[in-house]
Amino acid sequence: MSQISSLLDDVQMKQHGKHFWLLSTTQMLWDELEPRVSQLQLCAIRLACRQHSLTYEQSFVLQQCVQRLTQARRSIDRFWRRPFCFWQLVHEVDAMVLRILPESMLRERALSIRERFERKVKEPAQKRLYDDALSSCQPNTIPERDVLAGALRIINGQADKGFWILATNTVIQVMSAVILVLIFGGALIFFPSYFTDINEGSILLFSLLGAGGAIISNMMTKDPFILSVGPTTRYFVYYLFAKPVLGGFTAAFIYLLVKSGDFLAKPPSPFLMGCIAVAAGFSGDRLLGATMDKVMANLFKTSEKALVKPEAFARDG
């Protein structure tokens, strides 16, 4: 009990501290953590009032919840926060605390879980599995605690996956913008002569412009990830390296085709060649990138770690 009280005092002090006046992510995390610690303390008080000593299971669950909430509290103060870690910890506590909540507190939580499950879970198999068990969420009846914990894990799992996709997409978009600025800035600074006199050495320039066109295509695409859940490094390599390389290859191919001059009455101007390179990289990602997405979707079709059905993520060719 003393650990919970100490943790609650610390969280409340942080909650109303230097971040209180800011509408920041840090403030939102403190606001999410404080009611969970308060509920855990209330749960411990009510359990202690009803019996002289807690059972071993109740003591163990309380201890585990305190440990996880303490870890979540420490993750907020880190310079480089890990929001995935924070939400995973607090969601684990949400499911664990259901096993020890007094019935007076559990009834309200059961109705809330039932409402959220009906609103957010759309998978037919999951709905068939839990609908009958949760249908007993009436004012005078409470489903089994394990059923409530399982349903809550499904709800929170969907929220965690959606947050993970959003966060990773945002980082990729920002890094794509930075790379795009570097590509076009470098093209204007280090290769100015290639815009006034087309020569064989300008293939590097047009490959870079083609990579920039592919990055523009990526930034305009809002498709979810087609890869299985795992280390996020693979997504950065795929979107920030593999696809720009494909766009650069397409632009280089078009450049060599245009340089052959067999079907052109007049060589295009350097500026027009730059526009062609960007358009070639953009189109290459749209056409060839769609094929890459379908191939990778087929590779991960049978993966047990698939986020959702991979076919849904492949863009139409």
Side-chain angles (χ1 to χ4, degrees):
M1 184 70 69
S2 59
Q3 292 180 337
I4 302 177
S5 301
S6 176
L7 178 61
L8 180 60
D9 292 339
D10 185 34
V11 171
Q12 289 178 340
M13 182 181 63
K14 290 286 188 178
Q15 182 186 21
H16 299 283
K18 61 182 180 180
H19 301 291
F20 180 72
W21 62 279
L22 294 174
L23 295 176
S24 62
T25 303
T26 302
Q27 178 61 37
M28 294 174 62
L29 295 180
W30 289 120
D31 291 342
E32 289 288 340
L33 185 60
E34 191 275 336
R36 287 174 169 84
V37 182
S38 298
Q39 184 189 56
L40 188 64
Q41 186 182 39
L42 178 61
C43 176
I45 292 174
R46 291 191 177 183
L47 289 174
C49 292
R50 293 190 176 189
Q51 53 195 53
H52 296 290
S53 61
L54 301 179
T55 64
Y56 177 78
E57 179 182 0
Q58 292 171 339
S59 299
F60 178 78
V61 172
L62 283 174
Q63 182 182 7
Q64 291 297 311
C65 290
V66 171
Q67 290 179 356
R68 282 166 171 76
L69 291 177
T70 301
Q71 293 176 5
R73 176 254 176 274
R74 292 173 180 172
S75 68
I76 302 177
D77 277 341
R78 290 179 179 175
F79 182 77
W80 295 105
R81 287 194 302 269
R82 300 174 60 186
F84 303 118
C85 179
F86 172 86
W87 286 111
Q88 181 182 10
L89 290 169
V90 297
H91 285 162
E92 287 179 1
V93 172
D94 289 343
M96 293 177 62
V97 78
L98 290 174
R99 300 183 180 277
I100 60 173
L101 277 180
E103 290 189 3
S104 59
M105 301 175 64
L106 183 63
R107 184 174 291 109
E108 179 183 359
R109 179 62 66 87
L111 293 173
S112 174
I113 293 175
R114 170 65 175 174
E115 186 274 331
R116 291 175 60 194
F117 189 87
E118 291 180 345
R119 179 165 46 89
K120 294 188 176 182
V121 178
K122 305 300 181 183
E123 181 66 29
Q126 293 177 343
K127 292 186 72 68
R128 287 195 302 268
L129 184 62
Y130 281 92
D131 271 345
D132 293 339
L134 291 175
S135 60
S136 60
C137 289
Q138 303 300 328
N140 297 324
T141 58
I142 302 175
E144 294 183 2
R145 295 175 184 267
D146 291 340
V147 174
L148 290 174
L152 185 59
R153 285 192 176 94
I154 292 176
I155 297 170
N156 289 336
Q158 288 188 350
D160 290 340
K161 290 175 182 177
F163 178 74
W164 176 80
I165 291 175
L166 174 63
T168 308
N169 260 322
T170 302
V171 175
I172 289 178
Q173 292 286 80
V174 172
M175 295 184 67
S176 297
V178 173
I179 295 175
L180 192 62
V181 171
L182 294 177
I183 287 177
F184 285 100
L188 294 174
I189 296 175
F190 297 103
F191 304 99
S193 61
Y194 294 152
F195 284 99
T196 58
D197 182 24
I198 298 179
N199 53 60
E200 297 298 334
S202 60
I203 188 172
L204 174 61
L205 169 64
F206 295 115
S207 297
L208 289 175
L209 294 178
I215 292 176
I216 294 175
S217 175
N218 285 336
M219 295 178 68
M220 296 176 62
T221 302
K222 300 300 182 182
D223 292 338
F225 297 119
I226 64 172
L227 304 182
S228 61
V229 177
T232 56
T233 305
R234 66 186 69 180
Y235 300 102
F236 293 97
V237 173
Y238 182 65
Y239 286 98
L240 300 180
F241 179 76
K243 286 199 168 188
V245 167
L246 178 64
F249 171 80
T250 305
F253 176 79
I254 297 298
Y255 170 78
L256 294 176
L257 187 63
V258 173
K259 282 292 291 181
S260 64
D262 294 336
F263 59 93
L264 294 177
K266 180 180 178 182
S269 65
F271 177 77
L272 180 58
M273 284 292 292
C275 294
I276 292 174
V278 175
F282 184 93
S283 302
D285 178 73
R286 288 288 175 173
L287 299 177
L288 301 180
T291 303
M292 288 176 59
D293 289 347
K294 290 181 179 180
V295 171
M296 300 192 72
N298 291 329
L299 290 176
F300 286 94
K301 183 180 296 184
T302 58
S303 174
E304 294 182 355
K305 295 183 179 181
L307 194 59
V308 293
K309 293 181 179 179
E311 306 95 292
F313 291 149
R315 291 177 295 181
D316 293 334

